[in-house]
Each structure stands twice: as structure tokens, then as C-alpha cells.
């Protein structure tokens, strides 16, 4: 998990909105394998290790269902420590009749699910970085079929599934955006990421520290797609963890230099990308 610790800039937490908190908590505990760290009447923070929260769930007042053809969350992605962990959760899904999608991305092997509100989740494991194919600063990625037979041969058949492993991290987030030119400027010149893969003129994958991607950005909901209503199911915000206060101050300055809004809230800074996706800058 070296790409998800300082000095890299990485996504450490995602906060989503749902229609029914109780229904979502049941799903995220029983199907995905989280534990509750803290809970109120309208929100909850979820954990794998009992100390660090990776995902927050909120039920807004007057919530409305997920809106189509808007900007916001495409998926958030949970990175498991070992390939055997991915095999074990596949067996858990099979035993419980959970429908999943899957893909071999060359750099990783991934499963895809949709929560009761339509928020998409990726659960994946990275291949050894030594196997990633870099060429002129870009990493090769694909959407090949996942070899389940080979994957399941790596499972721990004698161990019952006990939820997400303690060392699970928020691996990346993938966002719907309204366009890519200003978006690329915001995330590279403003936040300090590097483009590591371009999917034609439809998507960008960006990272720090030569990870295959900490953030994905696409226009698959349409160029010019509007942001969803504030009380809509979907993304509330995601947290980027920066190495230290000096780096954060530098990032804040860069964001302001390109015309982005940055607001200080308590011990954090809040900004929005050109599509309205809300980002919290922590250290």
C-alpha cells in the first residue's frame, strides 16, 4: 500500500449520500464487510480496522434519488492487501447470490457492485508494480475479462469470510466530469497530480508517485453534464491527504492561481473541481 501513504497525495476517504441510512448500513456491513466506527441518526462512519474511517454515509434531509447524466461519483474503489482477499470476497458474493461485474485492468483485478442507491463500488487488488507496463509516462490499462478460475485458486478455502481486511484502503475514486481540459488543469496544475493514462478524449487517469491512478475522470455522462442537486444521492465529498502543511499551502496557492475557489473550514480546506465535485484537503 505504498502508494496510499505520504509523501504521495492520495484519496483517503469518501463521503456518499443515500436515501435510507439503515438500509445502506445493512448493505455495507453484510455485503461489503465494513464495521461501524461512529453513527448518528442521519450518518455513519465506516471502518475496517476499528480506528480509521474510509467511508462515510449520510442521509440528507429531503433526499432525492440518484440523478442520471450528471457529474459526480462514477465509483469509489476499495483496495485489498492480497489477491487471496479478493478471491475470498468473490466466494462470499457467490455464497450470498450477490451479482457482480469484473475486469482485468492489467495493473489490477477488479470487481464491481452497485449499492441499494445506485452508488457504484469497485473492490480490487493491485498486481505487482513491477508488472505494470509504462511507456512515455503512461501506464497500460485495459478492460479484459477476469480469470476467475485462476483467482479463486488463490483463495483460503478453509477460512470463513470475516469482512474487509484491516489493511484495506481507499484505492481511488473515479468521477463523472463535464469536460476534460479545465479538469486536467485543475488536477495537475492545481492539485499536483500527473496524467498517467488517457482514454482517447473521454477519460483521464491521474496519480502521484507513479501509481496507476488515484483518480479517474470521465465525460461518459456527456460533455457539459450538470452537477446533481445538493440533496441527491451520490457523492458528498472526498478527502485528499497531502504530505504536510507546506505542501497543502502550496496546493492552495496553486488552486487560487488558476481561479479555483478554496475555503478554510476548521482544520481543512475545501475546494471544488470545475464540475462541482467537492474535495477536502487534509494533512
Amino acid at each position: 500500500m505504498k502508494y496510499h501513504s505520504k509523501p504521495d497525495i492520495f484519496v483517503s476517504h469518501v463521503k456518499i449520500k443515500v436515501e435510507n441510512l439503515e438500509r445502506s448500513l445493512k448493505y455495507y456491513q453484510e455485503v461489503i464487510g465494513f464495521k461501524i466506527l461512529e453513527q448518528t441518526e442521519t450518518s455513519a462512519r465506516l471502518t475496517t480496522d476499528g480506528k480509521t474511517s474510509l467511508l462515510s454515509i449520510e442521509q440528507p434531509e429531503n433526499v432525492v434519488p440518484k440523478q442520471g447524466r450528471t457529474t459526480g461519483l462514477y465509483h469509489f474503489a476499495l483496495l485489498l492487501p492480497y489477491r487471496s482477499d479478493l478471491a475470498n470476497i468473490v466466494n462470499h458474493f457467490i455464497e450470498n447470490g450477490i451479482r457482480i461485474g469484473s475486469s482485468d485492468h492489467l495493473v489490477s483485478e477488479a470487481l464491481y457492485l452497485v449499492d441499494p442507491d445506485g452508488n457504484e463500488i469497485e473492490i480490487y487488488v493491485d498486481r505487482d508494480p513491477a508488472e505494470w507496463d509504462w511507456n512515455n509516462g503512461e501506464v497500460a490499462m485495459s478492460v479484459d475479462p477476469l480469470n476467475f478460475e485462476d483467482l479463486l485458486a488463490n483463495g483460503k478455502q478453509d477460512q470463513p469470510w470475516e469482512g474487509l481486511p484491516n489493511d484495506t484502503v481507499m484505492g481511488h475514486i473515479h468521477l463523472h466530469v463535464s469536460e476534460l481540459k479545465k479538469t486536467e488543469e485543475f488536477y495537475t496544475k492545481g492539485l499536483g497530480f500527473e496524467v498517467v493514462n488517457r482514454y482517447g478524449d473521454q477519460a483521464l487517469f491521474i496519480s502521484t508517485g507513479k501509481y496507476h491512478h488515484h483518480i479517474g475522470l470521465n465525460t461518459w455522462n456527456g460533455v457539459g453534464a450538470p452537477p446533481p442537486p445538493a440533496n441527491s444521492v451520490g457523492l458528498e465529498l472526498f478527502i485528499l491527504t497531502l504530505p504536510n502543511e507546506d505542501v497543502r499551502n502550496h496546493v492552495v496557492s496553486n488552486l487560487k492561481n488558476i481561479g479555483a475557489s478554496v475555503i478554510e473550514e476548521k482544520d481543512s480546506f475545501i475546494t471544488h473541481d470545475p464540475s462541482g465535485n467537492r474535495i477536502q484537503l487534509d494533512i
Side-chain angles (χ1 to χ4, degrees), residues 83 104 109 145-152:
R83 195 168 188 240
D104 184 332
E109 295 172 287
L146 184 63
N147 186 337
F148 278 99
E149 183 177 357
D150 185 70
L151 173 64
L152 293 175

Side-chain angles (χ1 to χ4, degrees), residues 82-202:
Y82 300 107
R83 195 168 188 240
S84 58
D85 297 319
L86 192 68
N88 291 344
I89 203 168
V90 167
N91 283 323
H92 159 68
F93 292 149
I94 292 171
E95 290 169 5
N96 289 275
I98 306 298
R99 295 186 64 179
I100 58 173
S102 63
S103 189
D104 184 332
H105 293 305
L106 302 181
V107 293
S108 62
E109 295 172 287
L111 311 175
Y112 294 93
L113 303 89
V114 178
D115 79 2
D117 293 281
N119 295 307
E120 188 167 317
I121 307 152
E122 177 181 343
I123 300 174
Y124 74 110
V125 64
D126 279 334
R127 283 204 166 88
D128 186 336
E131 299 178 26
W132 302 350
D133 182 15
W134 290 88
N135 187 18
N136 293 325
E138 292 199 15
V139 65
M141 294 194 287
S142 184
V143 285
D144 295 338
L146 184 63
N147 186 337
F148 278 99
E149 183 177 357
D150 185 70
L151 173 64
L152 293 175
N154 284 264
K156 298 176 182 178
Q157 305 295 335
D158 57 338
Q159 293 186 7
W161 183 75
E162 297 179 342
L164 293 169
N166 287 353
D167 293 338
T168 301
V169 298
M170 187 64 68
H172 64 265
I173 192 168
H174 196 151
L175 304 170
H176 290 295
V177 296
S178 60
E179 58 79 54
L180 289 180
K181 185 176 180 180
K182 290 182 180 178
T183 300
E184 181 176 344
E185 179 186 55
F186 175 88
Y187 282 96
T188 57
K189 293 183 179 179
L191 289 174
F193 286 92
E194 294 181 322
V195 175
V196 292
N197 183 278
R198 295 180 188 272
Y199 189 81
D201 60 357
Q202 300 176 14

